[in-house]
């Protein structure tokens, strides 16, 4: 047995830059942020874009509008609890809701792949129509393009939306101050696990349905308690962790989360345990995280719990003066850990 | 929740911690061998809750971290071929080879797929008879049996367009290498429970006796880890050095004989290079002569790829417990998960990545790590 010689051992040079787009650039983490900040923001310029919110708050003809767009490339097109059509409506409706706006009008751009069966397109369109009616939003304009077979995944959808921001409502991370209470509207990780279970053919013992839902009504319920909410986020790609990290960074405050307070349903916890994933990084499609002034927290929480989409709402932490820009979780055992912005997509662990 | 909540109970954890605090009268250095255990320790802040006298040293048990760079380069070479579908567990896609990773190969047109089981790769081979399907078979005794079973099935079913790129490693020879290192500070081992669930505990008494170290087979939930530490510290304080099984719900002394038989049939023991440690005799497996036709290195003629690793990081010292991740001057500054200088910062099980993700309170995130995204 030779003795171990560490002096001759070294590691590879890192990959600092990707010369091509990789999947992680769409994962809602650090790679996505770099793509936006290094290419899109300099190319487009503009003060509004530089805010990098889920939706843009703009003034037009005396009205304050929320304006947002989102693209949907989910596989499979239909999954337990919803479809790409539901996501296409609710995703943009929710981005607008995070500005406090009730979505009024949506646009819908279809990119269809040659060969996709007509009943599939009809099914997606019907789902969109039903979701729009539920959300109280009208699909007012649209466009369709077809790409050659093999150049798409059946159906891609882009939606954009506008809505009015009520007077006195100013939701942005810069308003967060130490002492704000962090509230999540319900169970986390449900949508991501539902998609994984069908996409990868994984069986988790019970069927998990996506939490895909339009949050405009829940937000209105919260704003009825006080228009002075500080920031709202729907934690989609990158999950709760990414949403909290973005808020902490943009507000230059620290965030402390009590891990035991985060509602994680057993099916999600089990699936994540099997795959070596952290539920905090798994996507949601019908949840919001709110930073609420301490004096309004109890009333806002009670209002949320009175709404069907907030029945499982829970206080999970607070904004703090220490470690600005950083999210720290207190573990059930009493230790602490840093919650970081994910790099790209979470990868299942080997063992 | 059955089987998870019970092993994360804060009250029971507190009692175990109280026991450990009461027991420890002298400084002790314990090594947890497995990267999965490292992950649990850091994620739950267990190391912060132990007495200062009890130090945990993170061992070389992350399969991603110890896979040599030249094996990654072989994988990249094979995955880039147009006739190949390259299947891998997710973790390996982000590990940098000499000048790219599997994600980049995919962005350049390579057909690289994440699978959750090697049998998924075999199914892919059946569904794509005109393509070569390669599975990246890395890891310890835990992942080796299903990979062996897949090759066995491929031969049984007559599937010829499937092969395995093998870089399997064995824990006991690594323990021996660590203990014979002149700079070794390790006084006891938490053995990897999942490895022992396959191999049993027969290989460990000789090591415990030869090096006079307690070896406690330990599980992966917080209470498992604390119970393993409690028993280990107890042995150290009493001057004992036996093999103890603190993970009886998963580990029997004889292990899993069927899995061992499969390993013996499909693989043969070979010398293996470990990133961070070097070549350790008889520390790995390769496909046995009977199954050599399923060896991707042979099939794609990449045996001769050798890689000299440029000097960049100190993860060799980290893997051997000579350096804590945060003691490295590059930690959290030039070396982050976004820009890893070494594999220990790439894998979520790597000690450096675990420290970066969960223990970075003393450092400030770089702007690129902490930028908002639309």
């Amino acid at each position: 047995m030779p003795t171990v010689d560490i002096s001759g051992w070294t590691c590879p040079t890192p990959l600092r830059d990707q010369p091509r787009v990789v999947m992680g650039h769409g994962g809602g983490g650090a790679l996505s942020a770099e793509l936006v900040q290094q290419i899109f923001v300099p190319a487009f310029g503009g003060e509004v874009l530089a805010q990098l919110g889920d939706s843009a708050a703009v003034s037009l003809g005396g009205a304050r509008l929320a304006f947002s767009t989102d693209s949907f490339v989910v596989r499979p097109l239909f999954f337990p609890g919803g479809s790409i059509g539901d996501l296409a409506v609710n995703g943009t409706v929710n981005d607008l809701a995070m500005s406090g706006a009730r979505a009024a009008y949506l646009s819908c751009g279809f990119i269809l792949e040659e060969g996709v069966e007509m009943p599939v397109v009809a099914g997606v369109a019907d789902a969109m129509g039903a979701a729009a009616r539920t959300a109280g939003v009208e699909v007012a304009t649209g466009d369709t393009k077809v790409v050659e077979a093999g150049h798409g995944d059946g159906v891609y959808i882009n939606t954009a939306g506008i809505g009015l921001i009520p007077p006195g409502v100013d939701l942005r991370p810069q308003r967060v101050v130490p002492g704000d209470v962090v509230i999540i509207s319900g169970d986390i990780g449900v949508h991501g696990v539902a998609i994984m279970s069908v996409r990868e053919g994984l069986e988790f013992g019970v069927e998990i349905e996506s939490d895909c839902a339009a949050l405009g009504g829940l937000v209105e319920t919260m704003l009825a308690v006080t228009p002075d909410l500080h920031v709202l986020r729907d934690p989609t790609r990158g999950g709760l962790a990414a949403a909290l990290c973005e808020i902490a960074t943009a507000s230059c405050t620290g965030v402390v989360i009590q891990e035991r307070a985060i509602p994680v349903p057993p099916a999600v916890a089990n699936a994540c345990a099997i795959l070596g994933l952290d539920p905090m990084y798994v996507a949601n499609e019908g949840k919001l995280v709110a930073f609420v002034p301490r004096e309004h927290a109890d009333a806002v929480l009670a209002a949320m719990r009175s709404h069907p989409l907030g029945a499982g709402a829970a206080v999970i932490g607070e904004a703090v003066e220490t470690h600005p820009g950083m999210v720290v979780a207190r573990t059930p055992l009493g230790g602490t850990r840093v919650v970081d912005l994910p790099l790209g997509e979470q990868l299942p662990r080997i063992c | 929740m059955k089987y998870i909540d019970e092993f994360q109970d804060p009250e029971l954890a507190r009692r175990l911690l109280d026991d450990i605090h009461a027991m420890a009268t002298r400084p002790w250095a314990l090594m947890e061998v497995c990267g999965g255990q490292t992950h649990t320790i850091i994620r739950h802040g267990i190391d912060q809750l132990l007495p200062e006298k009890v130090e945990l040293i993170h061992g070389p048990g992350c399969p991603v971290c110890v896979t040599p760079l030249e094996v990654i380069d072989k994988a990249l070479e094979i995955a880039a071929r147009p006739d190949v579908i390259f299947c891998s567990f997710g973790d390996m896609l982000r590990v940098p080879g000499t000048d790219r990773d599997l994600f980049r190969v995919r962005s350049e047109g390579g057909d690289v797929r994440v699978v959750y089981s090697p049998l998924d790769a075999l199914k892919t081979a059946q569904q794509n008879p005109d393509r070569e399907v390669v599975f990246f078979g890395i890891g310890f005794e835990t992942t080796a049996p299903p990979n062996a079973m897949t090759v066995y099935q491929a031969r049984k079913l007559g599937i010829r367009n499937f092969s395995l790129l093998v870089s399997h490693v064995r824990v006991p020879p690594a323990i021996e290498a660590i203990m014979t290192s002149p700079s070794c500070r390790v006084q006891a081992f938490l053995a990897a429970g999942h490895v022992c669930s396959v191999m049993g505990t027969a290989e460990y008494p000789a090591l415990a006796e030869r090096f006079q170290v307690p070896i406690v087979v330990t599980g992966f939930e917080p209470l498992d880890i604390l119970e393993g530490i409690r028993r280990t510290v107890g042995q150290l304080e009493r001057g004992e050095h036996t093999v103890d099984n603190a993970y009886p719900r998963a580990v029997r002394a004889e292990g899993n004989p069927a899995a061992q038989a499969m390993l013996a049939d499909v693989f043969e023991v070979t010398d293996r290079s470990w990133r961070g440690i070097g070549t350790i005799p008889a520390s790995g497996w390769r496909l046995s002569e009977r199954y050599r036709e399923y060896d991707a290195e042979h099939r794609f003629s990449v045996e001769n790829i050798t890689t000299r690793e440029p000097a960049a990081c100190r993860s060799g010292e980290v893997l051997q417990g000579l350096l804590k991740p945060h003691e490295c001057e590059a930690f959290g500054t030039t070396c982050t998960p976004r820009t890893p200088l070494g594999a220990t910062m790439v894998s979520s099980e790597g000690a450096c990545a675990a420290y970066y993700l969960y223990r970075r309170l003393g450092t400030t995130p770089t702007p690129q790590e902490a930028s908002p995204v639309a």
Side-chain angles (χ1 to χ4, degrees):
Chain A
M1 169 65 62
T3 58
V4 174
D5 174 21
I6 60 162
S7 60
W9 181 80
T10 54
C11 244
T13 310
L15 300 177
R16 292 194 177 277
D17 298 296
Q18 292 284 4
R20 297 171 187 257
V21 172
V22 295
M23 289 304 291
H25 284 115
L31 286 174
S32 297
E34 286 173 24
L35 180 69
V36 169
Q37 292 182 323
Q38 293 173 8
I39 293 185
F40 298 142
V41 170
F44 300 152
E47 289 176 21
V48 179
L49 179 64
Q51 299 292 315
L52 295 177
D54 283 348
S55 63
V58 294
S59 295
L60 203 61
R64 291 180 68 232
L65 290 174
F67 177 37
S68 184
T69 185
D70 207 339
S71 298
F72 302 87
V73 294
V74 69
R75 221 174 10 96
L77 298 176
F78 298 89
F79 46 82
S83 70
I84 191 171
D86 298 293
L87 290 176
V89 170
N90 294 337
T92 295
V93 164
N94 291 346
D95 283 346
L96 296 172
M98 297 309 107
S99 293
R102 188 62 180 261
Y105 296 103
L106 295 184
S107 71
C108 169
F110 274 105
I111 298 172
L112 306 175
E113 184 184 10
E114 177 188 34
V116 69
E117 293 167 350
M118 222 37 104
V120 171
V121 180
V124 170
D126 287 346
M128 285 188 76
R133 284 186 289 277
T134 301
V137 64
E138 183 179 344
V139 180
T141 182
D143 176 62
T144 305
K145 295 287 187 293
V146 178
V147 295
E148 291 174 5
H151 289 257
D153 227 348
V155 179
Y156 295 148
I157 305 175
N158 171 273
T159 53
I162 53 170
L164 285 170
I165 300 173
V169 173
D170 182 15
L171 296 167
R172 46 195 175 90
Q174 291 77 10
R175 295 200 59 221
V176 170
V177 293
D180 280 2
V181 173
V182 183
I183 303 174
I184 185 83
S185 63
D187 287 343
I188 65 164
V190 180
H191 174 75
V193 169
I195 293 290
M196 260 187 290
S197 66
V198 285
R199 182 183 294 172
E200 312 297 349
L202 299 169
E203 299 287 338
F204 297 126
V206 295
E207 183 173 274
I208 301 168
E209 291 204 343
S210 169
D211 57 349
C212 184
L215 295 166
L218 176 62
V219 172
E220 281 183 359
T221 300
M222 296 165 69
L223 290 171
V225 174
T226 173
D228 191 32
L229 306 177
H230 284 170
V231 69
L232 301 176
R233 276 289 158 96
D234 62 334
T236 52
R237 293 177 311 165
L240 175 63
L244 293 172
C245 288
E246 290 162 16
I247 291 168
T249 303
S251 65
C252 290
T253 58
V255 177
V256 172
I257 297 299
Q258 302 295 335
E259 236 183 317
R260 270 187 94 75
I262 300 170
V264 182
V268 170
N270 285 332
C272 288
I274 289 166
L275 296 172
L277 305 178
D278 186 337
M280 282 187 73
Y281 291 91
V282 177
N284 311 273
E285 284 294 345
K287 298 296 182 303
L288 63 80
V289 62
F291 281 61
V292 180
R294 184 165 295 278
E295 62 270 26
H296 299 301
D298 289 345
V300 170
L301 181 67
M304 290 172 78
R305 287 178 172 169
S306 71
H307 191 282
L309 294 178
V315 171
I316 57 170
E318 63 179 340
V320 295
E321 281 184 46
T322 49
H323 51 80
M326 195 175 277
V327 180
V328 171
R330 296 214 184 286
T331 73
L333 269 56
T336 57
R337 64 179 178 115
V338 173
V339 177
D340 211 355
L341 191 66
L343 179 67
E345 295 172 304
Q346 269 203 114
L347 298 170
R349 278 165 45 199
I350 281 168
C351 68
Chain B
M1 188 191 321
K2 200 74 183 149
Y3 303 123
I4 294 185
D5 274 3
E6 290 88 337
F7 295 97
Q8 299 186 1
D9 183 298
E11 181 51 39
L12 292 174
R14 174 49 50 199
R15 282 190 229 162
L16 285 167
L17 281 162
D18 287 346
D19 278 358
I20 295 165
H21 276 264
M23 269 181 197
T25 63
R26 284 184 283 163
W28 300 114
L30 288 55
M31 175 175 276
E32 87 277 0
V33 171
C34 181
Q37 292 169 338
T38 303
H39 194 81
T40 300
I41 287 162
I42 306 300
R43 188 177 187 278
H44 291 270
I46 288 171
D47 54 336
Q48 304 162 48
L49 303 170
L50 293 170
E52 275 189 31
K53 295 187 186 77
V54 178
E55 179 189 3
L56 290 175
I57 294 174
H58 311 307
C62 165
V64 175
C65 298
V66 299
T67 299
L69 179 60
E70 69 180 39
V71 174
I72 308 289
D73 281 348
K74 289 173 183 177
L76 296 167
E77 177 83 17
I78 294 168
R81 294 177 54 131
D83 57 329
V84 164
I85 299 172
F86 193 88
C87 298
S88 171
F89 292 137
D91 259 12
M92 295 305 295
L93 268 66
R94 202 173 278 152
V95 181
T98 298
D99 58 0
R100 55 186 173 163
D101 59 18
L102 285 166
F103 273 124
R104 187 176 296 185
V105 167
R106 194 158 80 172
S107 76
E108 291 166 350
D111 193 343
V112 178
R113 303 183 188 182
V114 172
V115 295
Y116 295 89
S117 157
L119 290 168
D120 292 342
L122 191 61
K123 201 182 298 177
T124 302
Q126 287 176 292
Q127 292 163 345
N128 297 271
D130 55 335
R131 307 274 304 277
E132 283 287 339
V133 176
V134 181
F135 180 72
F136 200 176
I138 71 145
F140 287 83
E141 293 95 327
T142 325
T143 53
N147 293 347
M149 168 63 82
T150 307
V151 175
Y152 174 86
Q153 287 284 357
R155 198 169 79 157
K156 189 176 168 188
L157 298 169
I159 300 168
R160 302 256 171 236
N161 63 322
F162 175 83
S163 58
L164 197 66
L165 179 61
V166 187
S167 185
H168 280 303
V169 281
R170 302 170 56 234
V171 166
I175 289 181
E176 189 178 356
I178 288 163
M179 289 311 296
T180 51
S181 172
S183 49
C184 175
R185 296 192 301 113
V186 180
Q187 295 166 293
F189 286 93
L190 305 181
H194 290 160
V195 167
C196 295
S197 69
V198 173
M199 302 305 291
T201 56
E203 295 174 285
Y204 294 98
L207 290 168
E209 187 57 40
R210 177 180 164 194
F211 298 111
Q212 304 281 292
V213 289
I215 300 177
V216 177
V217 178
T218 302
F220 297 84
E221 293 300 327
L223 292 191
D224 291 323
I225 303 262
L226 288 170
E227 175 62 8
I229 293 169
R230 190 183 70 84
R231 294 194 193 192
T232 307
V233 171
Q235 280 203 50
L236 288 166
E237 289 282 342
R238 293 190 299 271
E240 296 170 3
H241 48 269
T242 62
V243 176
D244 185 15
N245 181 5
Y247 196 35
R249 72 179 186 279
V251 174
R252 296 192 305 264
E254 69 274 20
N256 181 339
Q260 292 166 29
M262 184 59 65
L263 288 170
D265 177 35
V266 176
F267 291 138
E268 62 189 27
V269 171
T270 183
D271 298 349
R272 270 274 173 230
S273 174
W274 293 52
R275 177 179 274 173
I277 291 181
T279 298
I280 302 175
S283 67
W285 281 301
R286 66 180 174 196
L287 284 162
S288 62
E289 195 59 48
R290 297 177 58 215
Y291 292 88
R292 196 57 47 85
E293 65 183 297
Y294 292 96
D295 187 339
E297 283 196 51
H298 177 70
R299 187 173 296 192
F300 296 96
S301 305
V302 293
E303 296 110 318
N304 297 326
I305 289 179
T306 56
T307 309
R308 267 189 68 81
E309 309 199 19
C313 98
R314 301 174 68 187
S315 47
E317 294 162 85
V318 171
L319 287 170
Q320 293 175 80
L322 305 177
L323 184 77
K324 284 268 189 275
H326 63 284
E327 292 168 347
C328 172
E329 54 277 7
F331 176 80
T333 52
T334 55
C335 182
T336 69
R338 173 70 186 92
T339 55
L341 290 175
T344 47
M345 188 59 97
V346 174
S347 164
S348 61
E349 290 186 15
C352 296
Y355 263 67
Y356 183 87
L357 290 172
Y358 302 140
R359 289 291 308 282
R360 217 171 66 255
L361 287 171
T363 63
T364 304
T366 57
Q368 65 186 27
E369 303 295 328
S371 40
V373 60

